């Protein structure tokens, strides 16, 4: 099983998502070997879930979640609110670490909140210095220099980092950073990479479905 995660970041609007969903449904081919996880911006989460509820192999994720538990916290989106809508949550993405100043303590709390509410965690790490937490469901290695730059990391470097991370054997290992339909095949020759976290290329349903197709070939 390979995981293909779409991280739309703050790049989508309702009209763009409506068009994306239509295009995706037309293009995506059924494949039991791939799990697709779509992570829309919060306001569109339930819409995307509804639209794709009959598309097999698709799950919904969030791009983050609040460190706060349900309560009087204006503007926060809690794990309690998300858990009936999403199956997964990205946690600790490098953009949140740098722009929102999320700390390791906040990331740990988010992991706990997700776990308490049965949301599977996709923890992003930038390097071997970032904390790993026991028992997260997935770790996505995302070197900052590869994110959104078009300079995707080499398989050997990714596998070297995986070794350094020394993850528990039941933790799934993803790679993210400029993966697209033209380079995904580079990563498919090894069983060591369980999937991909895709930003830019996931904004096009055509490219995203082409990636899914390459995985199934
Ligand atoms: P990218 O983003 O595919 O645009 O490099 C990946 C990510 O930040 O998750």
């Amino acid at each position: 099983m390979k995981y293909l995660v779409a991280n739309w970041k703050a790049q989508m609007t309702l009209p763009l998502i409506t068009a994306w969903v239509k295009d995706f449904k037309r293009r995506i081919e059924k494949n039991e070997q791939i799990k697709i996880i779509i992570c829309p911006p919060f306001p569109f989460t339930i819409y995307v879930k509804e639209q794709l509820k009959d598309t097999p192999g698709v799950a919904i994720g969030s791009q983050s979640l609040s460190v706060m538990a349900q309560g009087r916290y204006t503007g926060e989106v809690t794990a309690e609110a998300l858990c009936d809508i999403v199956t997964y949550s990205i946690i600790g993405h490098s953009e949140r670490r740098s722009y929102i100043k999320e700390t390791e303590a906040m990331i740990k709390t988010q992991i706990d909140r997700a776990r308490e509410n049965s949301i599977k965690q996709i923890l992003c790490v930038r390097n071997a210095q970032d904390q790993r937490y026991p028992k997260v469901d997935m770790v996505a290695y995302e070197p900052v220099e590869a994110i959104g730059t078009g300079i995707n990391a080499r398989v050997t470097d990714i596998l070297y980092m995986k070794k350094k991370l020394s993850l528990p054997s039941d933790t799934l290992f993803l790679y993210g950073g400029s993966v697209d339909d033209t380079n995904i095949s580079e990563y498919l020759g090894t069983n060591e990479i369980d999937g991909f976290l895709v930003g830019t290329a996931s904004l096009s349903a055509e490219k995203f479905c082409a990636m899914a197709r390459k995985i199934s070939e």
Side-chain angles (χ1 to χ4, degrees):
M1 172 70 75
K2 294 268 187 209
Y3 293 79
L4 192 55
V5 186
N7 175 12
W8 286 346
K9 310 189 178 184
Q11 306 247 61
M12 291 289 238
T13 59
L14 189 54
L16 288 174
I17 290 176
T18 309
W20 191 97
V21 163
K22 206 168 149 204
D23 201 15
F24 176 80
K25 285 206 267 198
R26 203 162 50 83
R27 292 176 186 276
I28 196 68
E29 291 157 22
K30 194 167 174 227
N31 185 319
E32 269 143 36
Q33 294 314 305
I34 306 176
K35 182 91 178 167
I36 289 175
I37 304 169
I38 314 277
C39 303
F42 286 134
F44 311 119
T45 312
I46 201 152
Y47 171 78
V48 175
K49 185 184 167 91
E50 277 297 307
Q51 290 295 315
L52 298 181
K53 66 175 188 287
D54 299 324
T55 311
V58 174
I60 306 297
S62 65
Q63 298 175 16
S64 177
L65 49 78
S66 179
V67 294
M68 314 306 279
Q70 190 171 15
R72 291 187 295 274
Y73 305 110
T74 304
E76 290 301 292
V77 181
T78 64
E80 287 84 351
L82 286 165
C83 67
D84 297 316
I85 305 166
V86 307
T87 313
Y88 295 86
S89 182
I90 298 171
I91 295 175
H93 191 280
S94 62
E95 286 153 10
R96 297 197 62 81
R97 293 176 191 255
S98 59
Y99 302 130
I100 314 295
K101 308 287 179 237
E102 280 188 359
T103 61
E104 288 291 359
M106 291 163 80
I107 289 164
K108 177 169 187 320
T109 305
Q110 287 171 281
I111 291 168
D112 293 341
R113 296 264 177 267
R115 196 177 288 139
E116 285 155 17
N117 288 280
S118 308
I119 296 171
K120 294 193 166 95
Q121 312 100 50
I122 308 172
L123 172 67
C124 297
V125 298
R126 301 163 295 184
N127 49 48
Q129 279 73 55
D130 283 343
Q131 291 274 332
R132 273 88 67 200
Y133 298 90
K135 297 204 212 97
V136 292
D137 296 286
M138 298 183 183
V139 167
Y141 167 50
E142 295 210 309
V144 171
E145 63 277 8
I147 297 179
T149 57
I151 306 166
N152 56 307
R154 294 182 314 174
V155 183
T156 44
D157 295 334
I158 297 168
L159 298 186
Y160 174 74
M161 183 55 66
K162 184 182 181 189
K163 232 188 201 128
K164 272 179 100 169
L165 294 171
S166 59
L167 304 172
S169 60
D170 56 351
T171 303
L172 295 167
F173 176 73
L174 313 186
Y175 166 69
S178 297
V179 185
D180 63 21
D181 52 322
T182 68
N183 60 32
I184 192 166
S185 304
E186 294 172 24
Y187 304 110
L188 299 175
T190 169
N191 288 331
E192 295 283 318
I193 301 173
D194 298 300
F196 308 94
L197 186 46
V198 185
T200 312
S202 75
L203 301 174
S204 150
E206 183 179 1
K207 283 189 184 166
F208 195 64
C209 292
M211 295 171 83
R213 205 172 319 112
K214 291 251 160 88
I215 293 175
S216 12
E217 276 168 14

